[in-house]
Amino acid sequence: MAPAASLSLSLHLRLAPPPPHRRGRPPRHAPFLPLSPHHHHLRVAHHHVPDPPWRRGVRARAGTIQAPGLARPGGAVETDRLPSGVRDRAMEAVDHFGGRVTIGDVASRAGLQLAQAERALQALAADTGGFLEVSEEGEVLYVFPKDYRTKLAGKSFRMKVEPLIDKTKEVGAYLVRVSFGTALIASIVLVYTTIIAIISSSSDEDNRGRRRRSYDSTIIIPTDLFWYLDADYYRRRRRVEKEDGMNFIESIFSFVFGDGDPNDGLEDKRWKMIGQYISSNGGVITAEELAPYLDVPPISEQSKDDESFILPVLLRFQGHPEVDEQGNILYRFPSLQRTASSKGSGVREYVGNKWSAMFSSVEKYLEEKPWKFSKANASERAMVAGLGGLNLFGVIILGNLLKQMTVPPGGLISFVAQLFPLLQVYAGSFFAIPLFRWFLLRKTNNGIERRNKAREQRAQELALPEPSLRRKLLSARDMAQRKVITPEEIVYTTEKDLLDQDYEVKEWEKRFKELESD
């Protein structure tokens, strides 16, 4: 008897029973209900079962299928429980593959963990009327309607408010930057006005007129600091915004605090590149191929045989090592070998420069961007530093004057005396923070440069591989297996009423009996 004669097919679908008062025939199109990770795969068991139990299970549940609670109007939206980044990346992958995907398709395209991709697909299908398809080999596909985004947007309150929240965050960040810059101008004006007031108050009454005239001529100095009264300011502002994307007030914040992480989103990009690389190469790769995308040490005799850097990839995409006939260690990712799309399904026959030219959809190595001290140009930074120095000098002078006098209650001098500790902190931190950042950025950029150089070396090694590495790469290409699941291979779908698939059930029983009789 052929080994295939002992195969039996077990379908595990968890379907919610209807309320007691709802009876009758189930709906024509059975909506998708989120499934447990342990209840959605078709499994091929290697033990003989006389009567396939999945048929009885399917028929027993045929009269109990109903729309899941998640799909009811006013009910909870399952997608809202997902992190927005996971949801958006999963939807981008679904769109890329035309609405018919496997878990491996989404994981590789979006760079998600397999469990994350599975959870995202279940939530999207539950909220948008998606359904499952099961192939002859037990592979599960998720199929979405063309308007699934519209359906989801109509149900999800979170997706409606997220653009407003993002806009609010942008406005808030802008206000913080502008407020910090405006505080510098206000501090300069307040400090120098108070200095002049103290000097004026110490003069004799006979000289008050002369002092007033001196005050009038001196006050022009802080007035001149109001750059926005400069007739040439608006022309300079338009030029600065065009060249650097920020105005002068924002450049003050940029000088002190910087402009944020230039590598924001780098990890998402890294895993997308790795997932797409593995999938495009048939799910079998070498460690050397993924080294240009990971944090690896420079090439040396000590690090030559160290492949521990690939462990995070194995955990994320559920891969495992295999040894080929030549004793080379290769890594297979079964979940990324099965796809619902024929895109990029060609066999990679070459390695080295020819192969690199063919495989141009993914960057050759992951490059981190160095941190910049400030995106403001040199003239803006010089002007900001000058204003900061002027403010610091004024605070020092004002502090000495306040120590030498008795502050009268009320008035400008009393107000500034109470505010003086904050003025000191602001003036001191205006240079202390940038100085600390400068030393920190030097260390950070040195590390970025080392990592970029190491990854570039690994990429160059792949472009011009040694004979041993070439044989290893060719062995990985020979072991690659990229299975495209076509609609003709589908034997079950939750789109149809289970009773309407009774014909397919009988056909499967017939085929099992034929296998058993061989």
Side-chain angles (χ1 to χ4, degrees):
M1 181 180 295
S6 64
L7 299 181
S8 65
L9 194 62
S10 175
L11 175 64
H12 298 269
L13 291 176
R14 187 179 62 185
L15 301 173
H21 65 279
R22 293 185 62 182
R23 298 182 179 276
R25 197 171 184 272
R28 172 68 178 174
H29 297 285
F32 174 77
L33 183 64
L35 306 176
S36 168
H38 306 291
H39 293 80
H40 79 286
H41 293 290
L42 282 177
R43 301 185 301 186
V44 179
H46 294 275
H47 59 277
H48 177 68
V49 180
D51 189 13
W54 59 276
R55 177 183 178 184
R56 295 194 300 270
V58 169
R59 282 185 170 179
R61 297 182 180 95
T64 63
I65 301 176
Q66 68 162 1
L70 296 175
R72 292 198 305 266
V77 180
E78 191 72 13
T79 314
D80 285 348
R81 301 178 184 179
L82 299 174
S84 57
V86 172
R87 179 202 64 207
D88 294 341
R89 288 155 63 186
M91 293 172 68
E92 186 277 331
V94 170
D95 293 340
H96 175 79
F97 290 107
R100 185 172 180 268
V101 295
T102 63
I103 296 175
D105 286 334
V106 174
S108 61
R109 179 71 187 179
L112 298 173
Q113 297 179 15
L114 289 175
Q116 288 179 323
E118 180 181 24
R119 178 72 186 97
L121 288 174
Q122 291 175 352
L124 288 172
D127 294 335
T128 63
F131 57 91
L132 296 180
E133 291 182 348
V134 183
S135 71
E136 296 177 354
E137 298 180 358
E139 303 300 337
V140 178
L141 288 78
Y142 293 77
V143 184
F144 298 88
K146 293 182 179 180
D147 60 342
Y148 82 99
R149 280 184 176 269
T150 303
K151 292 181 178 179
L152 183 60
K155 292 181 179 180
S156 174
F157 175 76
R158 180 180 173 183
M159 290 186 66
K160 295 177 181 177
V161 301
E162 275 182 354
L164 179 60
I165 294 175
D166 293 340
K167 187 65 177 178
T168 303
K169 289 180 178 179
E170 292 178 4
V171 172
Y174 176 78
L175 291 177
V176 169
R177 298 173 71 92
V178 170
S179 299
F180 186 86
T182 304
L184 175 62
I185 307 300
S187 176
I188 293 173
V189 173
L190 192 61
V191 166
Y192 281 93
T193 302
T194 306
I195 291 174
I196 295 171
I198 292 175
I199 295 174
S200 299
S201 64
S202 63
S203 302
D204 296 334
E205 186 175 0
D206 295 340
N207 298 326
R208 190 169 299 168
R210 180 175 59 83
R211 290 296 184 184
R212 184 180 296 111
R213 290 190 297 273
S214 177
Y215 170 81
D216 291 340
S217 62
T218 307
I219 197 67
I220 295 177
I221 296 176
T223 302
D224 289 341
L225 297 177
F226 282 101
W227 46 269
Y228 46 78
L229 295 180
D230 184 359
D232 198 40
Y233 159 67
Y234 292 101
R235 180 179 58 83
R236 291 190 292 105
R237 177 178 176 179
R238 286 193 296 268
R239 184 180 69 249
V240 171
E241 288 181 339
K242 182 178 180 180
E243 295 176 357
D244 301 295
M246 66 176 66
N247 55 40
F248 178 75
I249 280 289
E250 291 180 290
S251 68
I252 297 175
F253 186 94
S254 176
F255 175 84
V256 178
F257 297 104
D259 304 285
D261 188 357
N263 297 305
D264 185 33
L266 182 70
E267 284 303 304
D268 292 345
K269 179 181 178 182
R270 182 201 303 272
W271 291 115
K272 285 181 180 180
M273 295 169 69
I274 292 175
Q276 293 175 30
Y277 188 99
I278 296 173
S279 178
S280 298
N281 283 276
V284 180
I285 49 88
T286 66
E288 290 83 355
E289 292 178 273
L290 296 187
Y293 308 114
L294 299 168
D295 295 336
V296 294
I299 299 176
S300 64
E301 290 297 328
Q302 292 78 11
S303 63
K304 185 175 182 180
D305 297 326
D306 182 12
E307 298 185 354
S308 59
F309 57 82
I310 202 174
L311 290 177
V313 184
L314 298 179
L315 292 174
R316 192 176 191 89
F317 298 118
Q318 297 182 9
H320 60 266
E322 291 186 1
V323 180
D324 64 5
E325 297 178 354
Q326 302 173 1
N328 297 314
I329 300 178
L330 308 177
Y331 299 92
R332 183 183 295 275
F333 298 83
S335 296
L336 304 190
Q337 292 182 306
R338 301 182 289 272
T339 179
S341 173
S342 60
K343 293 183 178 181
S345 60
V347 179
R348 308 294 178 187
E349 299 179 352
Y350 301 99
V351 296
N353 286 326
K354 291 184 178 179
W355 175 83
S356 299
M358 292 174 58
F359 190 59
S360 58
S361 59
V362 179
E363 298 177 23
K364 295 182 179 180
Y365 70 97
L366 179 68
E367 184 176 7
E368 296 181 62
K369 297 178 181 179
W371 285 67
K372 291 184 178 181
F373 180 79
S374 173
K375 290 183 179 180
N377 57 40
S379 62
E380 295 290 343
R381 291 197 298 268
M383 186 178 299
V384 170
L387 291 178
L390 182 64
N391 182 55
L392 180 61
F393 177 76
V395 169
I396 294 174
I397 298 299
L398 179 59
N400 293 329
L401 293 176
L402 291 175
K403 291 179 181 178
Q404 299 172 7
M405 66 173 295
T406 301
V407 179
L412 174 65
I413 298 177
S414 176
F415 171 74
V416 174
Q418 296 177 1
L419 197 63
F420 189 70
L422 293 179
L423 297 176
Q424 287 179 308
V425 171
Y426 184 87
S429 62
F430 196 89
F431 290 100
I433 294 175
L435 183 62
F436 174 77
R437 283 200 313 112
W438 184 77
F439 284 106
L440 182 63
L441 291 185
R442 289 189 62 185
K443 181 179 179 180
T444 302
N445 286 337
N446 287 337
I448 291 176
E449 184 178 0
R450 286 195 301 269
R451 291 192 295 271
N452 283 341
K453 186 176 181 180
R455 286 191 286 259
E456 187 177 7
Q457 288 177 347
R458 301 296 183 118
Q460 292 174 351
E461 185 183 43
L462 280 176
L464 298 171
E466 298 178 353
S468 59
L469 179 57
R470 179 180 291 272
R471 290 192 296 269
K472 188 177 181 180
L473 294 172
L474 290 174
S475 177
R477 299 295 85 81
D478 291 338
M479 294 176 63
Q481 297 176 355
R482 195 164 190 267
K483 170 64 177 176
V484 179
I485 305 173
T486 61
E488 290 75 18
E489 300 178 62
I490 301 303
V491 298
Y492 177 81
T493 174
T494 58
E495 182 185 22
K496 300 179 181 178
D497 189 332
L498 293 177
L499 293 177
D500 292 339
Q501 299 185 78
D502 186 64
Y503 174 77
E504 287 85 350
V505 172
K506 293 180 179 179
E507 285 296 313
W508 270 101
E509 286 186 343
K510 180 179 179 181
R511 293 175 62 178
F512 279 124
K513 291 179 180 179
E514 291 176 353
L515 290 173
E516 292 175 354
S517 63
D518 291 342

